[in-house]
Amino acid sequence: MLKTGIVGLPNVGKSTLFNALVANAKAEAANFPFCTIEPNVGAVSVPDDRLEVLAKIGSSAQIIPTRVEFVDIAGLVKGASKGEGLGNQFLGNIRTCNAIAHVVRCFDDPDIHHVEGNVDPVRDIGVINLELALSDLAQVEKRLERAQKGAKTANAEAKVELAALEKVRDTLDQGLPARFGDLNQEEFEAIAHLQLLTTKPIIYAANVAETDLATGNKWVEQVRELAKTEKAEVVIVSAQVESELVDLSQADRKDFLESLGVNEGGLKSLIRATYHLLGLRTYFTVGPKEARAWTITAGMSAPQAAGVIHSDFERGFIRAETVSLQDLIQTGSMKAAKEKGLVRSEGKEYIVQEGDVILFLTNT
């Protein structure tokens, strides 16, 4: 399951956003620092309107979307890497995440305390990024000692790891995230086991007041300028709005969002940004039992995509009967799509495309 860690300073709206995004989330959202004292984890279905259309075509009894797991930890503060606050205790909980959603306060409210005294998203981002980098640096320096010993014994793998660690250490020493290090693929894989926080793609979730959701504000623009230098994504969210959406029906949600000048909530925005950053794609399977979405990495071959369903499918792959969802919708049925020659028989070399509807044939 795709995992996204949620970080930020205290009182930026992290837990309020988490509560709204994750059904039945138990995180406390209160107006004081460190209200989240346990890492909160919750899984949500990935919204995909295409599934309902596919289910109608396939007369499917059930719809099964893909899922994303959100991990919310206590707010980080300056000095967290040295034990300040509570957030540092839970950094390990987001090391296994695929991406990090960094919630940044882009609203002013005198009734909600700011730990730094005033709203300044660039400064706040710098505080969090420094603490993540310092946490990574401690990991790297600890690992360097072992790698140096291994390299002396002419261990080829240890030499590659040592070179990678030295590059990352130098990058972190410059105050830059580890993902900016000039590592080749072999070096990157050699240190993947460390699960460094600053190697993970970043999505800045600019948390704004309801009135700024459609247009953003001066603080959002500051976040966007910074994100350009980091090749990060920026989404505008409003924890206030998200919390109001929770109790509304689908129709009322749509009307409410349209009244604010937007056509989607924060969940869709965050997931879309995460998929884009990680280079993820969605393909579908359909039958009388279920219409189901599957998440894969861009560039996966048909056998690899089959392996996402079950490893036996990859080993026993014969071929894939494939049609694009768009073609299937236009023809109205798999039978009609076949008659028009739109259903293709693809082999092991086929690269699965976004929106493919696939029936895998295997010898298992």
Side-chain angles (χ1 to χ4, degrees):
M1 187 184 298
L2 179 66
K3 292 176 66 176
T4 299
I6 302 178
V7 302
L9 291 172
N11 287 1
V12 296
K14 284 190 322 89
S15 293
T16 300
L17 185 62
F18 176 85
N19 281 337
L21 294 180
V22 181
N24 301 317
K26 302 300 183 183
E28 182 184 1
N31 180 26
F32 57 90
F34 316 129
C35 63
T36 305
I37 59 174
E38 293 292 338
N40 299 284
V41 181
V44 299
S45 298
V46 174
D48 195 327
D49 296 336
R50 296 174 295 180
L51 269 173
E52 291 189 15
V53 178
L54 183 62
K56 288 180 181 178
I57 292 174
S59 299
S60 305
Q62 188 178 13
I63 292 176
I64 304 179
T66 56
R67 295 175 72 78
V68 172
E69 190 172 88
F70 286 103
V71 181
D72 174 37
I73 66 169
L76 297 169
V77 295
K78 192 179 295 182
S81 60
K82 297 179 181 178
E84 293 294 327
L86 296 175
N88 187 52
Q89 299 175 27
F90 305 111
L91 283 176
N93 294 88
I94 60 173
R95 287 197 180 278
T96 58
C97 290
N98 305 96
I100 292 177
H102 182 164
V103 182
V104 187
R105 181 167 168 173
C106 292
F107 68 90
D108 194 14
D109 186 336
D111 293 329
I112 299 179
H113 172 70
H114 193 296
V115 292
E116 294 291 337
N118 66 304
V119 179
D120 185 341
V122 173
R123 176 204 59 210
D124 294 351
I125 288 171
V127 169
I128 299 297
N129 285 350
L130 177 60
E131 295 306 322
L132 298 181
L134 289 173
S135 179
D136 279 352
L137 187 58
Q139 290 259 100
V140 169
E141 289 178 338
K142 183 178 180 181
R143 185 67 186 179
L144 264 170
E145 296 178 16
R146 183 179 297 182
Q148 287 166 345
K149 292 177 181 178
K152 289 179 181 177
T153 63
N155 183 310
E157 291 182 359
K159 287 184 176 180
V160 173
E161 183 181 9
L162 177 60
L165 289 169
E166 289 176 339
K167 286 182 179 180
V168 170
R169 178 198 58 196
D170 293 344
T171 301
L172 292 170
D173 277 340
Q174 296 174 47
L176 298 173
R179 62 183 176 276
F180 280 21
D182 186 23
L183 274 65
N184 58 39
Q185 186 61 31
E186 185 182 19
E187 290 171 334
F188 185 81
E189 291 175 358
I191 62 168
H193 62 96
L194 292 178
Q195 298 178 322
L196 298 179
L197 297 167
T198 61
T199 60
K200 302 180 187 301
I202 293 282
I203 303 153
Y204 290 115
N207 186 17
V208 302
E210 179 180 306
T211 52
D212 293 328
L213 186 57
T215 58
N217 55 37
K218 63 179 181 181
W219 292 310
V220 173
E221 291 307 311
Q222 292 171 14
V223 175
R224 283 176 171 154
E225 287 302 311
L226 177 64
K228 287 179 184 178
T229 67
E230 298 183 357
K231 297 180 180 178
E233 293 274 335
V234 178
V235 296
I236 301 177
V237 298
S238 174
Q240 174 190 358
V241 170
E242 294 299 318
S243 61
E244 292 177 24
L245 289 174
V246 170
D247 297 322
L248 298 180
S249 66
Q250 286 297 112
D252 288 342
R253 284 186 182 198
K254 183 179 179 182
D255 290 342
F256 181 43
L257 289 171
E258 287 179 350
S259 72
L260 297 175
V262 295
N263 55 20
E264 68 179 18
L267 178 60
K268 280 189 176 181
S269 298
L270 271 175
I271 290 176
R272 184 161 39 80
T274 304
Y275 270 54
H276 181 255
L277 263 183
L278 296 176
L280 301 179
R281 301 288 184 269
T282 301
Y283 78 86
F284 304 96
T285 55
V286 64
K289 182 180 178 182
E290 64 184 34
R292 185 162 185 164
W294 303 89
T295 299
I296 60 171
T297 303
M300 270 192 174
S301 65
Q304 289 173 323
V308 171
I309 299 175
H310 197 289
S311 57
D312 287 348
F313 287 8
E314 182 172 3
R315 287 191 292 268
F317 179 87
I318 298 174
R319 68 178 187 275
E321 291 190 357
T322 308
V323 60
S324 76
L325 179 59
Q326 194 59 41
D327 286 342
L328 187 57
I329 291 172
Q330 289 179 351
T331 54
S333 70
M334 188 66 75
K335 180 182 178 182
K338 286 181 178 179
E339 290 173 350
K340 290 183 176 292
L342 297 173
V343 179
R344 312 179 308 276
S345 181
E346 302 287 3
K348 293 182 178 180
E349 303 303 316
Y350 177 68
I351 302 301
V352 176
Q353 302 298 305
E354 171 67 33
D356 276 352
V357 181
I358 305 177
L359 171 63
F360 293 108
L361 301 177
T362 72
N363 59 16
T364 55

